[in-house]
Amino acid sequence: MHHILGVDGSYPAIVALWLLPLAGAILCWAFGPQLRARAGWLASAILGVSFVLAVISWPAGTQHAGSALGARQMLGSWMPGSFDFGLLLDPLSLLWTLIVTGVGFLIHLYSIGYMDGDRANARFFAYLNFFVFAMLTLVLSDNFVGLLVGWGLVGLASYFLIGFWFERPSAVAAARKALVINVAGDAGIMFAIFAIFSVTGSIGYGDGFAAAGSYGPGLLFAICIGLFIGAAAKSAQIPFHTWLPDAMEGPTPVSALIHAATMVTAGVYLIARCAPLWSASPHAQELAGVIGGLTAVAGGILGCVQWDIKRILAYSTMSQIGYMIMGVGVGAYTGGVAHFFTHAFFKAQLFLAAGIVIHALADEQDVRRMGGLRKRMPLAFWAILTGVLSICGIPPLSGFFSKDQVIYGALEHGHPWLALAGALTAGITAYYMFRLLFVTFLGNYRGDVDPAQLGIARPQTAVPSHAASHHHPPAWLMGLPVAVLIVPTVAIGAVLMFGGEHSLWSQYFAPQFPLQALPAAPVSELVASGIVLLFVLAGFGAAYSRYATGAALANAVERLRAETFGTPPVLTHLFYFNEAIDVLIVRPSTWLGAAFTRFVDPHVIDGAVREVATVARGLGTLMRSFETGLVRAYALVLAFGAACFIVYYAIAAVGTH
């Protein structure tokens, strides 16, 4: 008997919303020279239609029929019962689909303005549409193999997008690094699928989850480890996080798409999707929770010493994804998913607002060379201010409700130290995010100050292929998506998540993540929230005293230079993760490759081929020696053969008698 998660049926809207971005990518690729700037409008319109179809599909995605939840569209089968491929739209995948297409649409619209004048405009939008198609493949698949295909396609699309400006060696290196780390994660998922199939004989989610009690503790833990390696690589968890900050080499809309709504949250989706496996393996829960907590703290600490505005946001993403992994890892699934939901809005808003600043300052990204931009760029200021308040968890903004669910969820599930790590991270987040706000927008503008006085050894250079061809698009193209995102950043948490288990959010996920009977937490949720707020206020106070007081603003140049030179080496070297990876993996791999090039390849592989050729040539020469063309020689051979037969049978006859 096979287990199906959704209600089987025909759902053309789901198929259409999945395939439309692929059609858009093909059109932009095929007709890019003809479309030119219109490629952006085409790609955006297609994604807008996908979002509308996702909204229309809401009733199908939330329907019930017995134990089936959501809609399942069969696509095809190979060896029926073992390799069935289909689409599944249930509350979890519906939420991801709405974010991927909805926030993705706003990022597409913003990109029309940001990439205006770029000579590879159509190629860029082809990549964006392809990325969305890959992400939809990942979240809509109803089986592990489809998920792995989407997982790989997302990695490939991110490689295209991060390395979009491929004339820059740093962009190429960053794209290659992201691809290699993500492929390592793909291998982990692949081994987990092999293990699941070996027990169930099926690749379907329903069969894999129904067998959670029959794997045995050891194999189940191994399956969860394989899945978690994939989740950690895609979601930039320690020690697979190093690709994420380097991915800032891509255009800013790419950073918003990858960091806010899509790729890096795939690991959160994977754990939430595989909740039946995780809930059956306490050790896997412990591992994911601890790694998530460590990533949250480490990402926050590294965010405190960054000067590149996009890298500050990148480390904040790493930290916030750590929150999400910690939440879903310990079993607080609705909390972890809630933080994904609110994070998609305020992080996209922060990146896009940062893009407005970068665009206006001719691709300057170092906050030490900014300052005094509050009146010059009011929309960017208010967007970043509301984003900072939300990511810090200031009530009643959206981030407060989701972060509270993660931290209190860890406490409820018996992980007080993880809850404490979450509270500490909240304080650190407040420090570095308000630092970004104060240094960027308050005081005097420092763009005309000698970079050496700010402690900048080599100032960031502009992106040649983009800056050199800058046009000046209408301001609303980049401003409208940012303004729209401010609304959910401020209000959607209070609308959907206020009221605890009676909230709209809890009711929406109740069929998928039923409420668990948990022992009473050591403190109430109100007290826990108050403690977290104290950490946040401490972080804000530290940032204010250091960067926003009158004295700090008056001496900003000297203070920033002193801070630059006073940063501990362990932080400037990012905890030496890159160096450790270089020593433990890159160099041995390089040496191994060199050894194969010098010895194994020429002397073993090529040598074996050469020996085969030599033997064949020798045998050919030997056989050719018999081909003399002389009848007497052939007669001699026949006579010799006949003599051999006679001698053989004579000896055999003597032996039998």
Side-chain angles (χ1 to χ4, degrees):
M1 176 182 177
H2 289 280
H3 301 81
I4 306 297
L5 292 185
V7 179
D8 257 327
S10 177
Y11 304 97
I14 298 175
V15 178
L17 76 88
W18 170 53
L19 291 178
L20 275 174
L22 177 62
I26 294 172
L27 287 174
C28 289
W29 257 319
F31 301 103
Q34 291 76 29
L35 290 170
R36 296 184 180 178
R38 287 170 292 185
W41 292 104
L42 174 66
S44 302
I46 284 176
L47 204 56
V49 173
S50 280
F51 174 69
V52 171
L53 290 173
V55 173
I56 292 173
S57 302
W58 180 290
T62 55
Q63 65 182 319
H64 299 257
S67 61
L69 173 64
R72 191 230 186 190
Q73 169 71 53
M74 186 69 175
L75 294 178
S77 182
W78 179 54
M79 296 171 61
S82 296
F83 294 91
D84 295 336
F85 299 92
L87 303 177
L88 174 67
L89 190 74
D90 62 359
L92 185 66
S93 56
L94 175 61
L95 181 75
W96 248 268
T97 300
L98 289 170
I99 289 295
V100 169
T101 55
V103 177
F105 167 71
L106 294 175
I107 294 172
H108 272 63
L109 193 62
Y110 176 95
S111 301
I112 297 173
Y114 192 88
M115 299 301 291
D116 183 58
D118 194 288
R119 56 188 169 83
N121 193 295
R123 178 167 60 87
F124 178 77
F125 282 99
Y127 289 166
L128 279 189
N129 262 200
F130 179 65
F131 185 94
V132 171
F133 164 73
M135 196 66 202
L136 289 176
T137 303
L138 191 160
V139 301
L140 287 175
S141 174
D142 74 338
N143 61 85
F144 287 103
V145 171
L147 178 140
L148 181 60
V149 170
W151 204 270
L153 290 178
V154 167
L156 178 64
S158 70
Y159 173 78
F160 292 151
L161 286 169
I162 295 169
F164 178 73
W165 286 320
F166 55 80
E167 63 272 25
R168 302 168 60 186
S170 57
V172 175
R176 190 167 56 228
K177 186 177 187 180
L179 183 67
V180 170
I181 292 178
N182 276 279
V183 168
D186 297 353
I189 295 178
M190 188 171 63
F191 284 116
I193 294 174
F194 287 156
I196 292 171
F197 187 82
S198 69
V199 175
T200 65
S202 168
I203 60 171
Y205 287 148
D207 293 324
F209 299 156
S214 58
Y215 292 118
L219 181 59
L220 179 60
F221 183 59
I223 290 171
C224 290
I225 290 290
L227 295 174
F228 186 69
I229 289 173
K234 195 72 80 186
S235 293
Q237 299 296 287
I238 287 176
F240 299 102
H241 66 284
T242 57
W243 69 267
L244 187 64
D246 292 354
M248 296 299 100
E249 291 291 338
T252 299
V254 172
S255 306
L257 190 63
I258 290 178
H259 286 236
T262 54
M263 180 174 172
V264 295
T265 63
V268 184
Y269 173 81
L270 178 62
I271 296 178
R273 169 57 67 197
C274 299
L277 303 182
W278 242 263
S279 297
S281 178
H283 296 304
Q285 287 187 318
E286 194 81 27
L287 174 70
V290 170
I291 294 295
L294 285 174
T295 303
V297 175
I301 292 173
L302 293 178
C304 295
V305 296
Q306 303 300 313
W307 295 112
D308 184 309
I309 190 169
K310 287 174 66 177
R311 281 185 171 264
I312 296 172
L313 296 177
Y315 279 106
S316 83
T317 298
M318 174 183 161
S319 181
Q320 300 304 309
I321 300 293
Y323 268 118
M324 300 174 207
I325 293 289
M326 182 174 78
V328 295
V330 300
Y333 300 111
T334 55
V337 174
H339 202 51
F340 148 74
F341 184 63
T342 60
H343 179 266
F345 297 114
F346 62 68
K347 184 50 63 69
Q349 174 184 320
L350 285 167
F351 266 113
L352 297 186
I356 291 177
V357 174
I358 295 168
H359 197 270
L361 299 182
D363 294 312
E364 179 58 68
Q365 295 184 189
D366 195 316
V367 294
R368 289 170 295 187
R369 304 198 69 195
M370 298 179 186
L373 302 179
R374 182 169 62 90
K375 292 182 179 177
R376 184 174 164 185
M377 303 178 197
L379 175 61
F381 170 72
W382 286 106
I384 290 184
L385 174 62
T386 51
V388 167
L389 293 174
S390 191
I391 197 174
C392 292
I394 303 294
L397 276 78
S398 297
F400 164 75
F401 294 95
S402 58
K403 191 173 290 188
D404 185 67
Q405 286 194 42
V406 171
I407 295 175
Y408 195 67
L411 203 58
E412 282 184 307
H413 285 78
H415 301 279
W417 288 107
L418 292 179
L420 181 61
L424 175 64
T425 303
I428 298 172
T429 302
Y431 172 77
Y432 70 77
M433 289 305 296
F434 276 105
R435 169 181 178 263
L436 180 153
L437 182 77
F438 295 151
V439 175
T440 303
F441 291 99
L442 301 188
N444 298 318
Y445 179 60
R446 296 180 295 276
D448 49 3
V449 175
D450 181 0
Q453 293 184 33
L454 294 164
I456 304 173
R458 289 184 299 176
Q460 294 281 337
T461 55
V463 181
S465 62
H466 187 55
S469 56
H470 255 327
H471 291 194
H472 294 284
W476 70 269
L477 266 176
M478 295 172 64
L480 179 62
V482 177
V484 170
L485 285 167
I486 291 176
V487 177
T489 292
V490 172
I492 205 162
V495 172
L496 297 181
M497 300 170 190
F498 180 75
E501 62 187 52
H502 303 294
S503 65
L504 294 173
W505 185 260
S506 295
Q507 292 175 17
Y508 175 76
F509 275 116
Q512 190 143 26
F513 303 123
L515 290 175
Q516 305 169 50
L518 298 170
V523 297
S524 69
E525 188 169 0
L526 185 63
V527 172
S529 300
I531 294 172
V532 173
L533 275 178
L534 289 178
F535 277 95
V536 171
L537 289 175
F540 166 77
Y544 182 83
S545 65
R546 194 163 188 177
Y547 301 105
T549 61
L553 293 174
N555 301 313
V557 173
E558 292 76 12
R559 282 173 173 265
L560 294 175
R561 184 176 65 246
E563 184 177 335
T564 300
F565 291 129
T567 304
V570 68
L571 295 181
T572 55
H573 287 270
L574 310 173
F575 294 133
Y576 296 101
F577 270 103
N578 281 317
E579 288 81 355
I581 291 174
D582 185 57
V583 170
L584 297 176
I585 298 176
V586 177
R587 290 187 189 180
S589 301
T590 305
W591 292 336
L592 193 61
F596 268 86
T597 302
R598 293 180 182 176
F599 302 105
V600 178
D601 191 39
H603 299 297
V604 178
I605 298 176
D606 285 354
V609 173
R610 283 196 300 270
E611 288 302 320
V612 169
T614 302
V615 170
R617 189 167 54 245
L619 288 174
T621 303
L622 178 63
M623 297 304 295
R624 195 167 55 247
S625 67
F626 297 118
E627 302 291 335
T628 60
L630 299 175
V631 176
R632 62 176 179 272
Y634 298 149
L636 180 61
V637 171
L638 288 173
F640 179 74
C644 288
F645 273 106
I646 291 169
V647 170
Y648 171 77
Y649 283 110
I651 293 173
V654 172
T656 43
H657 296 287

